[in-house]
Amino acid sequence: MVSTTLDVEQLLRGAALRVTRPRVSVLTAVYEHPHADTDSIIGVVREDLGEVSHQTVYDVLRALTTAGLVRRIEPSGSVARYESRVGDNHHHVVCRSCGAIEDVDCAVSDTPCLTASDDNGYSIDEAEVVYWGLCPTCSTARSS
Ligand SMILES: [Zn+2]
Ligand SMILES: [Zn+2]
C-alpha cells in the first residue's frame, strides 16, 4: 500500500507524469478508496484541495489510467470505477442489488483464464471477468 504523499509522487515520476497537486490528490484517493466512482473521487479530492473542477478530475483520471497507474473498470449498468490494483489480472464480484464491488483473485493461481480456447491469433494479455450476485448484506436482507 502507498501511504505517503511521497510514494504517490514517486509513482507519478516513475510513470513520467509531472507531479501536480490534483494528480497527487486523485491518485491518493484511488488508493484509499478502491472501486470508487468519479463522483466519490471528486468528493475526496475536494476535501483535500478545496474547489476542483469535474473536468480536472476527469482529465487526471484519464492520464493516470493511460499511464497504467490506475485501472478503470466498468461493470455493465454501473458507472466507471477506479482502482490502484493494476496489472495482476484480478476480477470483480458485483452485487446486483446495491452495486458493491469486491476483488476476486484469479480462479486458480496463474491467470488460466488468459488461455483462451481459441485466441484467433491475438496476443492476449488481459481477461475481463465479472462475477455477478448478491453481497452478504443484500442476500441476508432478501432471505429474512
Ligand atoms: Zn449488495
Ligand atoms: Zn479491484
Side-chain angles (χ1 to χ4, degrees):
M1 282 304 278
V2 173
S3 53
T4 67
T5 307
L6 193 65
D7 288 341
V8 170
E9 289 181 2
Q10 279 169 358
L11 282 173
L12 289 169
R13 289 203 186 89
L17 288 175
R18 209 158 45 84
V19 174
T20 64
R21 289 183 70 214
R23 282 175 178 167
V24 169
S25 183
V26 169
L27 188 52
T28 305
V30 173
Y31 267 91
E32 288 173 356
H33 305 272
H35 311 135
D37 62 14
T38 311
D39 283 346
S40 324
I41 292 168
I42 289 170
V44 174
V45 169
R46 282 186 176 161
E47 269 174 38
D48 185 24
L49 297 182
E51 193 54 32
V52 177
S53 73
H54 279 240
Q55 193 58 48
T56 299
V57 174
Y58 280 117
D59 289 348
V60 170
L61 283 170
R62 195 178 312 122
L64 295 176
T65 304
T66 305
L69 291 179
V70 306
R71 177 177 171 195
R72 178 191 155 105
I73 55 168
E74 195 164 358
S76 61
S78 164
V79 295
R81 314 284 195 108
Y82 295 88
E83 68 182 349
S84 57
R85 193 177 158 186
V86 294
D88 69 350
N89 190 60
H90 73 275
H91 308 307
H92 294 102
V93 58
V94 183
C95 176
R96 286 185 195 286
S97 179
C98 70
I101 299 182
E102 300 292 341
D103 286 338
V104 179
D105 288 333
C106 238
V108 190
S109 62
D110 280 330
T111 65
C113 40
L114 287 187
T115 311
S117 52
D118 178 0
D119 63 14
N120 293 294
Y122 284 53
S123 163
I124 296 174
D125 58 28
E126 183 175 344
E128 197 172 295
V129 177
V130 178
Y131 301 95
W132 292 90
L134 287 176
C135 74
T137 309
C138 293
S139 51
T140 308
R142 283 213 178 177
S143 56
S144 62

